[in-house]
Amino acid sequence: MEGAQENPAESGSSVPWSEEPAGSARVSEVSLSEESEGCTRPLEAAPQKLCGYLSKFGGKGPIRGWKSRWFFFDERKCHLYYSRTAQDANPLDSIDLSSAVFDCKADAEEGTFEIKTPNRIITLKELVKILHKALEAAQQEKRVSSAYLAAAQDKDRLELVRHKVRQIAELGRRVEALERERESLVQTAGLREQEIEELQRHVQLLLDKNQAKQQVICKLSEKVTQDFMKAPEEADRDFLSQQEKMEHLKDDMEAYRTQNRFLNSEIHQVTKIWRKVAEKEKALLMKCAYLQAQNCRVESKYLAGLRRLQEALGVETGECSELLRQLIQEALQWEASEASAESVVLGPSTVSEYDKYGFLTVPSYEVEDLRLLAKIQALEVHSHQLLAHEVVQRPLRERWAALGELAPSAELKQLLRAGVPHEHRPRVWRWLIRLRVQHLQAPGCYQELLSRGQACKHPAARQIELDLNRTFPNNKHFTCPTSGFPDKLRRVLLAFSWQNPTIGYCQGLNRLAAVALLVLGEEESAFWCLVAIVETIMPADYYSKTLLASQVDQRVLQDLLLEKLPRLMAHLGQRRVDLSFITFNWFLVVFADSLISNILLQVWDAFLYEGIKVVFRYALAIFKYNEEALLRLQDSLEIYQYLHLFTKTICDSRRLMHIAFNDMNPFPMKQLRQLRAAHRERLEAELNELEQLKAEYLETRAAQGPSAPEGCPSEDEGDAEP
C-alpha cells in the first residue's frame, strides 16, 4: 500500500496527498484530469473537489489493519468525510479539520501520515502510484502525438499508427491480465473476510468463556467471604499457625543459606587445592618425561662409548677386552621387571619391546655390533618421543579432536604432514582411501574376488605364498604362529591379483598391504588401500614386469639430488656409488622396510593425501639428514654398508619432516612431470635399442644352427650323467 489507489470506476478522480517535512503534513487540492471522462461520482458536486481513495488504519480488538476508504472534503463545514466506496450515499464518519494537525513522521512507513484532532488520531496512507502511471501515460501519448504531427511522410505516420495499434493490443492484454489478477484478489479478499468472521466468532467464544470464568470466580469469592465470616476465631488461629510455620521456614532457610555459603567456600578451597595438585602433577610428569629422555640419552651415549671403545680395542684379548665384552652384554640384556616397576612408579614407560604396531623396538641382530646400534637407536627414538609428547603430541591431538568432519583443506594438509595420532589414524586413512577409489568401489566387490580365488587358483598364488614368510620378520603380528595377519594378507594379495590381472602380483605389494593391515585391521580396507596406491597414486607401469615408471623415477631422483645436494653427489660420484641400489626399494614399497614405524606411518599420512611427490621429498630429506655422516666416509664399501643401515638411525621425525617440506623447497610438480617425461622418452629409446640387439642376436644364433661349440657338453649329455 504505497501509492494512491484509484477505484476502477473512478478513473482519474483520485486526489494525491502531498507530504511535507517530518512533523507536519497538508492536503493539496488537485483539479480533475481532463482524461478522466466517463466517470460518475454521485457524491461529487463540482468539477473541482478534494477527494480520492486512502488507506485508513483501524478495526476492533486484535483484528486491526489497513482498509481502503473513499475520502472527500467539505469546505463549508471543514470536515473530511469518508465512506467505503464513492457510490455510498451516507458516509461512515467524518474528521473535523478545523483544529486538526497533520503529522508525517520520518521513521514511519512510506506514505503514512496522521491527522490529530483533540478527540482522536487517525492514521492514513496515501496511494499515488496509479496517478503517477496515468501521468506518465499521458506524457507518452503527448510525445507520440508530437512525433505523428512531425512526421514528414505518410509512410512514417503509418508506421507510428501501427506502433500505436501494437501498443493498444499490448495494453489490452495487460488489461485482461490485470482483470484476472483483480478477480483473484477479490477471491482472496473474500477468503480473508471469511477468516476475519471466523476469528470474530472465536473472539466472541473466548469472551463468553471469560465471562463464565468471572462468574465462577465471583461465586467462589462470595463463598470464601461467607466461610471467613462464619468462623473468624478459627480463621485467626489458622492464620497464626500459618504465620508461625512461615517463621520456622524462614529460620530453616537462613540456616541453609549459612550452610550453603560454608560449603561453597569449602568447595572453592578444595578446587584451588585440586588445581594446584593437578598443575604440580603435570609439572612432575613433564619433569619425569624430561628426566627419562635424559636418561635414555645418557644410556645411548654410554652404549655408543662402549662401541667406540670396542672398535678402538679391536680383536685384542686381555682383561680390558673381556671387561668391555661383559659391559656390552649387560647393556644388551633386557630387564623387563625393572621396566615394569618404573612404569608403575613414573607413569611413562621405558623402551618397550614392541611398538604400537607390533614392530620390535630393538631388532635382534646376530652381530653384536648391530644389536648395540639397534639399542642405541631405540633409546634415541624414545628420548625424542618423551621430549615431544607435551610440546608437540598433546597440541596435535587436540587439533585433530577439534577438526570434526574431514574435508580437503590447507589445514588438513599441514596436519597430515605433522602426522596423525594413533587413535585417529584408522579413521583418517579410510577417508583418504575413499577419496582415491570411490569411483572403483562397488558393494560386495571384495567378497566376489575372494570367491573367484577359491574357485580357481591364480598363477601368482605360489609367489604370494613364498613372500608371506618374508613379510616384516621384525613384527610380531607376522611372525607369531597364532596370529591371523598372514592369512588376512594372503587373501588381500590374492584378491588384488584378480582385481588387476595386468599386474597380478609384484614383489613389494606384500609389504604395502601389510602396512595397511597393521593400521586399518580390516582385510577389505587394506585391499582398497593397496588398490589406491597401485592404481591411483603411483604412475602406470610402476609395478609392471618392466618396472618402467619405477626406473624413470630413479633417474628423476638422481637429477633432484644433483640439484638439491650437489656436494654429496660429487662425493658419491668420485667413489662410483650407485644410489639406485638403495633407493629403488624405497619408492617401490614407500619406505616400508627402511624407516622406523613412527616415521614410516607419518610419511604414509602425507603420501596417501598428496601422492608420490611426498616420497621424493622424504628421499631427499633422508640424504640431507645424514649428509655430514656420508661425507666423512671415504671407502665405497664402507659407504654401501652405511647406506643399508643409515635410514634406521633417523630418530628425530620433526627434523626430518622440516627438511622434507621446508628445506627441499621449491619443489614444483611441474618440474617433476617434465623430468619424468624426458627420462621416460630416453629410457624407452634405450629399451627399444636393447630389444633390437636381442632380436639381432637371436637371428644370428638361429642362422648358426643348433650345433653346440666344440668342447661344450650338450644338454642330453648333461642329463645322462648320474
Side-chain angles (χ1 to χ4, degrees):
M1 304 177 73
E2 60 184 35
Q5 182 182 6
E6 292 183 11
N7 192 325
E10 318 294 332
S11 175
S13 61
S14 299
V15 177
W17 298 76
S18 62
E19 295 185 355
E20 293 291 338
S24 65
R26 64 183 179 83
V27 180
S28 61
E29 184 174 354
V30 179
S31 62
L32 290 172
S33 173
E34 294 179 0
E35 299 177 0
S36 60
E37 298 178 359
C39 301
T40 60
R41 280 191 301 275
L43 298 179
E44 184 174 344
Q48 295 183 354
K49 187 173 182 180
L50 188 62
C51 59
Y53 279 97
L54 294 176
S55 293
K56 178 179 176 296
F57 188 77
K60 294 182 179 180
I63 309 174
R64 293 174 62 83
W66 295 97
K67 295 184 179 179
S68 180
R69 296 289 183 260
W70 173 261
F71 285 81
F72 59 91
F73 179 63
D74 191 342
E75 295 182 358
R76 293 171 299 172
K77 297 182 180 180
C78 197
H79 274 65
L80 185 65
Y81 293 90
Y82 61 90
S83 57
R84 286 188 175 86
T85 63
Q87 289 77 21
D88 291 350
N90 298 320
L92 295 173
D93 200 353
S94 65
I95 305 171
D96 186 3
L97 300 182
S98 59
S99 58
V101 175
F102 288 76
D103 187 11
C104 182
K105 297 181 179 178
D107 58 347
E109 190 177 352
E110 182 180 2
T112 303
F113 63 94
E114 295 180 349
I115 302 177
K116 297 182 179 179
T117 65
N119 298 326
R120 59 176 176 163
I121 299 175
I122 300 93
T123 305
L124 301 174
K125 181 186 279 191
E126 65 173 333
L127 308 171
V128 297
K129 188 174 182 180
I130 296 179
L131 284 180
H132 290 168
K133 290 184 178 179
L135 180 59
E136 290 176 359
Q139 291 175 349
Q140 179 67 20
E141 183 69 23
K142 184 177 180 181
R143 286 194 294 270
V144 172
S145 300
S146 300
Y148 179 80
L149 294 173
Q153 298 180 3
D154 292 341
K155 180 176 64 174
D156 298 334
R157 293 182 178 179
L158 181 60
E159 181 61 30
L160 290 173
V161 170
R162 288 175 178 171
H163 179 67
K164 192 63 179 178
V165 169
R166 288 194 296 271
Q167 285 186 338
I168 291 171
E170 178 64 25
L171 290 173
R173 287 192 294 272
R174 291 178 61 186
V175 168
E176 291 177 359
L178 291 173
E179 183 63 26
R180 290 193 296 270
E181 184 178 356
R182 187 189 67 79
E183 292 176 358
S184 175
L185 291 174
V186 169
Q187 293 177 358
T188 305
L191 294 174
R192 291 288 184 270
E193 290 292 337
Q194 293 177 3
E195 291 178 2
I196 291 171
E197 292 176 0
E198 182 66 26
L199 290 172
Q200 287 177 345
R201 288 195 297 271
H202 185 64
V203 169
Q204 187 60 42
L205 181 62
L206 292 175
L207 291 174
D208 294 342
K209 288 183 178 180
N210 188 36
Q211 186 177 0
K213 290 180 180 179
Q214 290 292 337
Q215 292 176 358
V216 172
I217 290 171
C218 291
K219 290 180 180 179
L220 291 174
S221 300
E222 291 176 359
K223 185 176 180 182
V224 168
T225 304
Q226 291 174 1
D227 293 341
F228 184 75
M229 295 298 294
K230 287 180 181 179
E233 295 181 359
E234 185 177 353
D236 289 340
R237 287 195 299 271
D238 291 341
F239 178 75
L240 291 174
S241 62
Q242 292 294 333
Q243 195 171 20
E244 187 176 355
K245 289 180 180 179
M246 288 292 294
E247 292 295 332
H248 288 308
L249 288 174
K250 287 180 180 179
D251 293 339
D252 293 341
M253 287 180 63
E254 187 62 31
Y256 285 133
R257 286 196 187 98
T258 304
Q259 185 178 6
N260 189 39
R261 285 194 294 270
F262 173 75
L263 291 175
N264 284 338
S265 64
E266 289 292 319
I267 291 171
H268 180 67
Q269 293 297 327
V270 170
T271 303
K272 287 175 63 177
I273 294 171
W274 177 80
R275 285 178 180 171
K276 289 181 181 178
V277 170
E279 292 175 358
K280 189 174 181 181
E281 181 183 6
K282 183 178 178 181
L284 288 173
L285 286 174
M286 292 181 64
K287 185 177 180 181
C288 172
Y290 175 76
L291 291 175
Q292 281 192 334
Q294 292 298 110
N295 180 55
C296 289
R297 287 186 174 180
V298 170
E299 188 174 352
S300 66
K301 289 179 180 178
Y302 167 71
L303 293 176
L306 289 178
R307 183 171 177 272
R308 285 196 295 271
L309 185 59
Q310 185 185 33
E311 291 175 354
L313 290 175
V315 295
E316 296 179 5
T317 58
E319 186 177 351
C320 293
S321 180
E322 183 64 29
L323 178 61
L324 180 60
R325 279 195 295 272
Q326 290 180 2
L327 290 174
I328 292 174
Q329 289 296 329
E330 291 176 2
L332 290 174
Q333 287 178 358
W334 189 257
E335 300 175 0
S337 59
E338 182 179 350
S340 61
E342 289 182 4
S343 65
V344 172
V345 176
L346 299 177
S349 63
T350 56
V351 181
S352 57
E353 187 176 1
Y354 293 97
D355 64 9
K356 294 176 181 177
Y357 296 97
F359 289 98
L360 273 173
T361 54
V362 184
S364 56
Y365 295 110
E366 294 181 1
V367 182
E368 184 181 273
D369 198 26
L370 293 180
R371 282 187 288 139
L372 191 60
L373 282 174
K375 186 158 186 182
I376 293 172
Q377 170 69 12
L379 290 168
E380 288 290 335
V381 170
H382 191 56
S383 173
H384 283 287
Q385 290 176 347
L386 289 170
L387 292 175
H389 179 73
E390 292 294 330
V391 180
V392 179
Q393 295 301 322
R394 188 184 297 275
L396 187 63
R397 281 188 170 86
E398 292 173 356
R399 288 182 65 188
W400 275 105
L403 189 60
E405 182 138 358
L406 298 175
S409 64
E411 181 188 7
L412 179 64
K413 183 178 180 180
Q414 294 302 320
L415 285 174
L416 288 170
R417 287 181 173 184
V420 184
H422 170 70
E423 61 271 18
H424 295 286
R425 183 166 279 134
R427 175 178 65 92
V428 174
W429 279 27
R430 289 189 184 95
W431 179 80
L432 293 172
I433 294 163
R434 189 163 55 252
L435 282 183
R436 297 279 184 180
V437 298
Q438 56 188 350
H439 63 287
L440 299 173
Q441 281 182 318
C445 176
Y446 180 67
Q447 298 301 326
E448 181 182 347
L449 293 170
L450 290 181
S451 302
R452 191 185 305 177
Q454 292 174 356
C456 178
K457 187 175 181 180
H458 196 278
R462 182 174 176 275
Q463 186 61 47
I464 290 173
E465 203 65 34
L466 291 174
D467 284 351
L468 285 179
N469 297 325
R470 295 196 286 259
T471 304
F472 293 150
N474 288 327
N475 190 290
K476 65 179 180 180
H477 296 301
F478 291 98
T479 55
C480 180
T482 59
S483 174
F485 274 80
D487 293 333
K488 292 181 181 180
L489 181 59
R490 179 188 296 107
R491 288 191 289 269
V492 169
L493 295 175
L494 285 173
F496 180 81
S497 299
W498 290 107
Q499 157 77 14
N500 193 326
T502 304
I503 296 174
Y505 176 75
C506 172
Q507 286 186 349
L509 298 184
N510 60 321
R511 282 161 285 180
L512 295 176
V515 172
L517 270 174
L518 290 173
V519 174
L520 300 171
E522 302 171 358
E523 290 181 37
E524 188 169 358
S525 299
F527 165 76
W528 288 115
C529 182
L530 184 60
V531 172
I533 294 172
V534 176
E535 298 186 10
T536 67
I537 298 178
M538 293 300 198
D541 298 333
Y542 219 83
Y543 298 95
S544 64
K545 292 181 179 179
T546 61
L547 299 174
L548 180 64
S550 301
Q551 296 183 60
V552 169
D553 277 356
Q554 292 306 304
R555 299 189 179 190
V556 173
L557 179 63
Q558 292 291 326
D559 289 351
L560 294 174
L561 283 168
L562 286 169
E563 176 190 346
K564 304 290 184 181
L565 303 171
R567 192 161 62 106
L568 176 62
M569 291 304 292
H571 176 74
L572 297 177
Q574 290 174 359
R575 285 143 189 86
R576 300 180 181 276
V577 175
D578 187 358
L579 292 179
S580 62
F581 288 117
I582 307 299
T583 58
F584 192 88
N585 190 57
W586 292 1
F587 281 70
L588 203 64
V589 298
V590 194
F591 302 105
D593 290 331
S594 307
L595 297 171
I596 59 175
S597 62
N598 64 321
I599 299 179
L600 169 67
L601 297 178
Q602 184 174 336
V603 173
W604 276 54
D605 293 336
F607 164 72
L608 291 175
Y609 185 69
E610 300 182 51
I612 196 171
K613 187 177 177 181
V614 172
V615 182
F616 280 100
R617 282 186 175 273
Y618 270 100
L620 295 170
I622 288 170
F623 284 109
K624 180 66 176 177
Y625 189 99
N626 296 275
E627 183 178 19
E628 296 302 325
L630 283 166
L631 290 173
R632 287 194 295 268
L633 300 176
Q634 301 300 323
D635 182 64
S636 59
L637 180 60
E638 191 178 7
I639 292 174
Y640 276 117
Q641 289 176 345
Y642 181 74
L643 289 175
H644 278 92
L645 296 172
F646 81 125
T647 54
K648 294 290 186 179
T649 64
I650 299 174
C651 53
D652 193 345
S653 60
R654 293 176 61 196
R655 181 187 165 202
L656 184 66
M657 180 196 70
H658 186 273
I659 296 172
F661 295 108
N662 293 277
D663 295 354
M664 292 299 110
N665 288 334
F667 199 87
M669 195 63 191
K670 182 179 179 182
Q671 179 192 12
L672 189 60
R673 284 194 291 266
Q674 290 174 348
L675 290 173
R676 273 180 166 170
H679 283 297
R680 188 181 187 94
E681 185 177 354
R682 285 195 290 268
L683 183 60
E684 287 177 346
E686 292 174 8
L687 291 176
N688 290 333
E689 185 178 353
L690 287 174
E691 287 295 328
Q692 291 176 1
L693 292 174
K694 182 179 178 181
E696 292 174 359
Y697 173 74
L698 292 176
E699 288 177 2
T700 305
R701 288 291 303 273
Q704 291 176 354
S707 59
E710 186 177 350
C712 294
S714 65
E715 293 183 0
D716 294 337
E717 292 175 353
D719 291 339
E721 292 179 358

